[in-house]
């Protein structure tokens, strides 16, 4: 009578051990394995067996390019006009070990670096030129963030500014100026 209960408990125990030890890592993903709390290995795509109760999956990283939203923030241009700027950052994990142990949250870290660099770059140019020099600003942000995130095992592939929003009063003045410019051109074109 006790023998069937022991067999059932043994089968359940073996299933738990099998579930804790067998790991399937999906394509373009890596698992960081810690053995007794210390880095042991990096598992790439495929089927792997871990040492039960000793090895554990500490981190899982996607090696795909990730799109990270850089939240809107206020920046002050060289001519002291406050604008709201936001963007999109494209990053990729290139060294999963550094991404695991180099920083606690690489997405937050790269986003913060992108924001501070954006404020710095916007502060170097006048409002009129911020719209014209988007590519230069994007390039400077990519260079700065990529350099700073290298110790974290992160590669910044690109940055795009989504919006540059001046205050409503400046926007109204810019629209009036554009209307006046169009009227002036019409007047020159019609009078010739």
């Amino acid at each position: 009578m006790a023998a069937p209960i022991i067999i059932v408990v043994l089968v359940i125990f073996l299933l738990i051990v099998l579930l804790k030890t067998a790991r399937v890592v999906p394509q373009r993903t890596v698992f960081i394995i810690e053995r007794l709390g210390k880095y042991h290995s990096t598992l790439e795509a495929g089927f792997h067996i871990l040492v039960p109760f000793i090895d554990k999956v500490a981190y899982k990283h996607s090696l795909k390019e990730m799109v990270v939203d850089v939240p809107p923030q206020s920046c002050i241009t060289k001519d002291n006009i406050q604008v709201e700027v936001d963007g999109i950052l494209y990053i990729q994990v290139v060294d999963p070990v550094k991404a695991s142990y180099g920083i606690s949250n690489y997405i937050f870290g790269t986003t913060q670096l992108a924001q501070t660099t954006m404020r710095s770059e916007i502060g170097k140019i006048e409002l009129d030129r911020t719209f014209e020099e988007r590519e230069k600003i994007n390039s400077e942000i990519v260079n700065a963030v990529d350099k700073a995130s290298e110790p974290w095992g992160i590669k910044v592939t690109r940055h795009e500014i989504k919006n540059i929003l001046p205050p409503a009063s400046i926007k109204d003045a810019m629209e009036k100026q554009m209307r006046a410019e169009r009227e002036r051109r019409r007047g020159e074109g019609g009078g010739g």
Side-chain angles (χ1 to χ4, degrees):
M1 184 113 173
I5 294 173
I6 293 172
I7 291 173
V8 170
V9 170
L10 190 60
V11 168
I12 291 172
F13 177 75
L14 290 174
L15 279 173
I16 291 171
V17 169
L18 181 64
L19 290 174
K20 284 192 119 349
T21 60
R23 289 285 191 256
V24 176
V25 180
Q27 189 69 28
R28 301 287 294 153
T29 304
V30 294
F31 289 2
I32 301 296
I33 303 302
E34 288 182 353
R35 180 166 284 172
L36 300 173
K38 185 178 176 190
Y39 170 76
H40 178 259
S41 62
T42 302
L43 302 184
E44 296 186 357
F47 180 77
H48 303 275
I49 300 289
L50 303 178
V51 177
F53 308 109
I54 294 177
D55 290 347
K56 82 168 192 168
V57 176
Y59 299 95
K60 296 177 182 180
H61 295 290
S62 172
L63 300 179
K64 297 175 189 173
E65 187 172 35
M66 291 177 268
V67 180
V68 180
D69 190 43
V70 179
Q73 64 176 329
S74 293
C75 303
I76 307 222
T77 62
K78 189 176 182 179
D79 47 353
N80 289 324
I81 296 173
Q82 186 173 347
V83 293
E84 192 170 277
V85 185
D86 62 352
I88 301 173
L89 191 63
Y90 296 83
I91 64 173
Q92 189 171 18
V93 174
V94 292
D95 187 334
V97 176
K98 287 181 179 178
S100 300
Y101 300 108
I103 188 168
S104 61
N105 186 339
Y106 59 82
I107 292 176
F108 180 74
T110 52
T111 303
Q112 293 301 304
L113 282 170
Q115 284 185 311
T116 56
T117 307
M118 191 184 309
R119 277 195 298 270
S120 173
E121 291 302 315
I122 294 287
K124 294 177 185 176
I125 53 181
E126 284 96 23
L127 176 65
D128 306 4
R129 292 182 37 228
T130 57
F131 301 101
E132 300 164 14
E133 298 199 17
R134 277 184 147 167
E135 288 304 313
K136 181 180 180 279
I137 296 167
N138 287 331
S139 174
E140 292 298 324
I141 292 169
V142 167
N143 291 338
V145 178
D146 190 44
K147 186 177 179 183
S149 64
E150 190 177 329
W152 307 335
I154 304 300
K155 173 78 180 143
V156 178
T157 54
R158 61 185 195 267
H159 179 273
E160 294 295 328
I161 293 175
K162 283 197 294 190
N163 294 307
I164 300 175
L165 301 172
S169 59
I170 300 291
K171 200 184 292 187
D172 291 343
M174 290 168 76
E175 287 172 5
K176 286 177 186 171
Q177 184 180 357
M178 285 173 28
R179 268 189 245 118
E181 187 67 28
R182 272 191 231 116
E183 293 298 321
R184 187 186 60 80
R185 279 193 227 138
R186 262 194 223 140
E188 288 176 1

